[in-house]
Amino acid sequence: MNKPLDYIFPDVPADIDLSALRADAIPQHIAIIMDGNGRWAKKRALNRLRGHKAGIEAVREAIRCASDLGVRYLTIYSFSTENWKRPEDEVVGLMDLFAKTMLAEVDELHDEHVRVMTIGDLSPLPPETRAAFDEAWEKTRRNDGMTLVVALNYGGRQELLHAAQECVRRCMLRAEAGGGAPEVTEDLLEQGLFTYGIPDPEVIVRTSGEMRLSNFLLWQAAYAEFVSSPVLWPDFDRYELLRCLLEYQRRDRRFGGVGA
Ligand code: IPE
Ligand code: IPE
Ligand code: MG
């Protein structure tokens, strides 16, 4: 933990028992499917983009809280390979929001020693959006604090396809170099994942009450604890993250064995 608990959570709601949080069982990697921005806006008779904008504050709070708790990796699902199906004005607005937010936040993230990277195929993104994330990576890549992994135009199937193609390429290179029969191993496949070198998330949180992965981290989710929060993403705060972590810590993780 990087900060004292009562500093991170100064005003704990009555339904939460902060003393139940085990400091030795904070996940190394939390992944969040940030969902419900559109419904949040609809409830207020606002344009969907206003919901996405309101979600930025929740992202800020989740980053700060996770970093203070000593989490090493926080992955946020920001745009899926399927989200291109949305109306053009929403897609354009989201891309613009990603670029502006990254530019506005990078200095503060850097000051907090956060490393900002992306997973997904950034090549179809508008140049300003790509540039904002490229610059954030260049600026923060040497930081030793939490790594913020922004999943942008990310899809689990796209990633697995990419990993399989990489496997074939490497096996062919090996065969050409006279290295013997190509062998596809779990490790070789993992080397082709966008998350290579990053531990699998122990917990995946999805907000807005939905219970599906929507093509998120399909390989890496194998033994993640799935926690569903009823809260719409713009209303998500540090206390809701705390509730999710307490729920995660109550789970009996058996990994196919017989457990404790
Ligand atoms: C999640 O909120 C944000 C993105 C997918 C970019 P949604 O926009 O999916 O919100 P709902 O599900 O329509 O409420
Ligand atoms: C998943 O949410 C993608 C992101 C949070 C970026 P969606 O709202 O796109 O997922 P579905 O359509 O409800 O499965
Ligand atoms: Mg949604």
Side-chain angles (χ1 to χ4, degrees):
M1 218 161 282
N2 293 330
K3 302 258 171 67
L5 268 186
D6 55 357
Y7 171 89
I8 308 173
F9 302 109
D11 200 9
V12 184
D15 68 295
I16 299 179
D17 175 11
L18 187 59
S19 69
L21 188 73
R22 299 203 323 271
D24 61 346
I26 300 292
Q28 277 197 85
H29 184 175
I30 300 175
I32 306 184
I33 304 174
M34 309 181 291
D35 199 11
N37 294 350
R39 277 161 280 171
W40 185 94
K42 194 171 177 191
K43 271 188 10 190
R44 291 162 179 78
L46 296 170
N47 180 286
R48 292 178 59 83
L49 263 173
R50 294 284 295 275
H52 298 312
K53 284 191 182 136
I56 299 297
E57 189 50 43
V59 178
R60 228 182 255 130
E61 180 147 340
I63 295 171
R64 166 102 15 91
C65 182
S67 166
D68 287 350
L69 284 167
V71 170
R72 299 303 304 157
Y73 298 90
L74 176 68
T75 300
I76 51 174
Y77 202 9
S78 304
F79 195 87
S80 76
T81 47
E82 287 71 47
N83 287 147
W84 297 105
K85 294 177 192 162
R86 296 188 175 203
E88 196 188 339
D89 63 333
E90 183 175 349
V91 171
V92 169
L94 273 168
M95 292 299 154
D96 188 50
L97 186 63
F98 295 146
K100 292 206 168 99
T101 305
M102 197 66 258
L103 284 174
E105 300 292 329
V106 66
D107 287 341
E108 200 175 321
L109 290 167
H110 186 51
D111 289 346
E112 289 171 23
H113 312 285
V114 173
R115 215 160 61 113
V116 183
M117 60 174 280
T118 57
I119 54 172
D121 177 11
L122 268 57
S123 62
L125 267 48
E128 305 77 48
T129 310
R130 273 203 328 256
F133 284 91
D134 287 349
E135 282 162 26
W137 166 245
E138 275 311 316
K139 185 168 181 127
T140 63
R141 57 189 290 186
R142 287 170 213 88
N143 288 346
D144 59 1
M146 186 178 80
T147 299
L148 175 69
V149 183
V150 184
L152 260 185
N153 191 26
Y154 172 88
R157 288 188 172 186
Q158 164 219 55
E159 181 182 37
L160 283 168
L161 187 65
H162 176 263
Q165 287 163 344
E166 270 298 292
C167 261
V168 170
R169 199 180 60 82
R170 287 176 196 216
C171 286
M172 281 177 41
L173 282 175
R174 190 176 127 127
E176 276 167 23
E183 199 192 347
V184 177
T185 61
E186 202 166 295
D187 188 53
L188 190 66
L189 194 93
E190 282 195 333
Q191 287 180 38
L193 297 176
F194 301 139
T195 55
Y196 185 59
I198 298 177
D200 290 341
E202 293 97 323
V203 57
I204 296 180
V205 171
R206 183 165 186 155
T207 58
S208 83
E210 305 290 359
M211 301 277 190
R212 58 181 169 270
L213 283 174
S214 300
N215 206 8
F216 190 44
L217 301 179
L218 297 181
W219 174 280
Q220 301 86 339
Y223 271 101
E225 294 299 327
F226 188 86
V227 175
S228 172
S229 158
V231 167
L232 301 176
W233 179 251
D235 294 328
F236 194 85
D237 65 4
R238 67 192 61 210
Y239 297 102
E240 191 55 20
L241 181 60
L242 178 58
R243 286 187 192 93
C244 294
L245 290 177
L246 287 166
E247 155 108 34
Y248 158 76
Q249 290 191 345
R250 281 194 296 270
R251 302 274 178 89
D252 180 14
R253 304 189 74 202
R254 290 188 290 277
F255 299 98
V258 289

